[in-house]
Amino acid sequence: AGGGGGYGGQQGYSEERNSARRVADHYSARSNQTLEERENSPIIHLKKLNNWIKSVLVQLYARPGDCVLDLACGKGGDLIKWDKARVGYYVGVDIAEGSIKDCMTRYNGDADQQRRKKFSFPARLICADCYETRLDEYLCEDAPFDICSCQFAMHYSWSTEARARQALANISALLRPGGTFIGTMPDANVIIKRLRETDGMEFGNSVYWITFGEEYNEKKFPASRPFGIKYKFHLEDAVDCPEWVVPFHLFKLLAEEYDLELVLMKNFHEFVHEYLQKPEFADLMRRLGALGDGRSVQRHTIAR
Ligand code: SAM
């Protein structure tokens, strides 16, 4: 991994650390939902759609026996997807202690119900800031990985250039040559377009809203300051914390500095449209019940 260059407009170090802590505390505090709570969630169809997208990505890129590094793994909601792909080894890393605990419980099975371990691959779970820590120092015995995944979380690295670079340096250092990185994050073009279409500094609906600070009231985002463009994201029953806009063309350029070459980039609308044409994925969508009444899909894919 290389890494020179540089853009202006960094946030102060401690402010940026506080933001990372806020994100960690937010996710740590979210308890595991029961199946009933999950089914009653106002965003259940969105959750199912997101799961469908991640399942398709895993099925497209994972091969039996692969070593997987899951950055920002959360509560381990994707363990089952990796198991279905018959991967050989899994390392999950997340900044939120509570999520790592839940992930461990999910992996080991629930002691109360005396369920046996249900995953066929060995796993290691680590609590760390993926965008600040040099993970190769922790994971030298586990690397190289065939696949590195970072689902719905890469944008948390974009608070400063240093963090974005550390994220990419970790991915690059830990993947084997020819290995694959798969990630999902909000679509900056859609967010900025929506912001410019609205009168104030906030847009959304009854389920989600995005709020920008007054410092952006001109709704201009100079190319010279592409990091640290913060907004507050609220998604009912899921998220309420700061996030950062990731201009994708810059993400691609920065990734190239770390020897990562773009293979595929799609907005969720395009992705769903394209992969729903394939019978096996359409069947999976039906089984997950992800389309619901159709409105939920429309709602959230506007921004992701
Ligand atoms: N990837 C999981 C999934 O798709 O179910 C979780 C996604 S959740 C929307 C975002 C996750 O990113 C949270 O678990 C949060 O703790 C994690 N996260 C945010 N910033 C992080 C950081 N700096 N290092 C590691 N994990 C981070």
Side-chain angles (χ1 to χ4, degrees):
Y7 300 85
Q10 297 297 307
Q11 271 180 289
Y13 182 66
S14 61
E15 185 191 339
E16 162 267 307
R17 282 205 101 160
N18 285 343
S19 292
R21 197 63 251 160
R22 271 197 64 199
V23 172
D25 289 345
H26 165 72
Y27 282 105
S28 240
R30 284 200 57 78
S31 56
N32 254 340
Q33 290 185 311
T34 63
L35 208 59
E36 195 184 349
E37 283 166 344
R38 188 181 135 80
E39 284 301 320
N40 288 330
S41 166
I43 56 158
I44 182 60
H45 294 306
L46 172 65
K47 286 182 179 175
K48 289 179 176 178
L49 182 75
N50 289 347
N51 270 319
W52 179 85
I53 288 169
K54 292 191 288 181
S55 296
V56 173
L57 285 171
V58 169
Q59 288 181 40
L60 287 175
Y61 292 105
R63 296 284 162 268
D66 272 358
C67 285
V68 178
L69 173 63
D70 192 357
L71 297 180
C73 62
K75 298 173 186 299
D78 294 343
L79 283 167
I80 194 120
K81 303 177 185 64
W82 296 112
D83 204 36
K84 283 187 180 146
R86 291 183 288 131
V87 301
Y89 183 50
Y90 173 94
V91 175
V93 189
D94 200 284
I95 194 172
E97 302 85 346
S99 299
I100 285 292
K101 269 194 190 159
D102 288 347
C103 190
M104 263 178 196
T105 305
R106 183 169 269 162
Y107 177 78
N108 288 320
D110 190 329
D112 293 342
Q113 294 169 21
Q114 299 194 319
R115 269 194 280 133
R116 291 177 64 82
K117 191 170 93 172
K118 57 180 176 176
F119 296 103
S120 55
F121 51 82
R124 192 176 165 199
L125 300 171
I126 297 170
C127 187
D129 185 336
C130 299
Y131 313 139
E132 184 165 309
T133 314
R134 268 196 63 169
L135 291 179
D136 53 337
E137 290 174 359
Y138 279 84
L139 297 175
C140 50
E141 288 182 9
D142 308 75
F145 292 88
D146 302 290
I147 294 207
C148 174
S149 170
C150 183
Q151 302 304 325
F152 298 97
M154 199 66 205
H155 49 298
Y156 294 115
S157 75
W158 218 255
S159 56
T160 67
E161 180 175 352
R163 287 173 70 78
R165 283 187 180 278
Q166 188 58 62
L168 292 165
N170 281 336
I171 295 164
S172 181
L174 291 164
L175 271 179
R176 67 166 166 77
T180 306
F181 170 68
I182 49 178
T184 44
M185 62 186 166
D187 184 333
N189 290 331
V190 178
I191 292 177
I192 301 299
K193 182 168 174 281
R194 288 270 158 154
L195 176 67
R196 289 182 175 148
E197 282 167 358
T198 192
D199 282 340
M201 300 304 288
E202 181 170 297
F203 61 90
N205 57 29
S206 60
V207 175
Y208 90 95
W209 52 93
I210 286 179
T211 316
F212 280 82
E214 286 306 316
E215 65 272 32
Y216 300 113
N217 63 7
E218 289 190 14
K219 303 187 181 177
K220 287 186 181 148
F221 301 91
S224 57
R225 282 185 282 130
F227 299 93
I229 304 173
K230 183 158 76 175
Y231 57 87
K232 170 110 180 276
F233 180 56
H234 177 92
L235 176 63
E236 209 60 12
D237 196 32
V239 188
D240 190 49
C241 67
E243 297 195 351
W244 290 267
V245 171
V246 184
F248 193 82
H249 64 287
L250 273 179
F251 179 79
K252 174 178 177 288
L253 282 179
L254 208 64
E256 282 169 359
E257 288 189 35
Y258 294 87
D259 299 330
L260 295 163
E261 177 198 357
L262 183 64
V263 175
L264 177 87
M265 193 283 278
K266 283 198 193 297
N267 168 284
F268 275 15
H269 277 290
E270 299 162 352
F271 188 89
V272 172
H273 181 74
E274 181 170 335
Y275 288 97
L276 260 188
Q277 314 290 326
K278 306 210 183 285
E280 70 272 31
F281 296 139
D283 187 49
L284 177 64
M285 182 76 97
R286 266 190 298 277
R287 279 187 279 128
L288 286 175
L291 283 177
D293 60 6
R295 282 179 306 143
S296 315
V297 175
Q298 182 64 22
R299 273 183 193 143
H300 198 55
T301 50
I302 53 169
R304 299 269 161 180

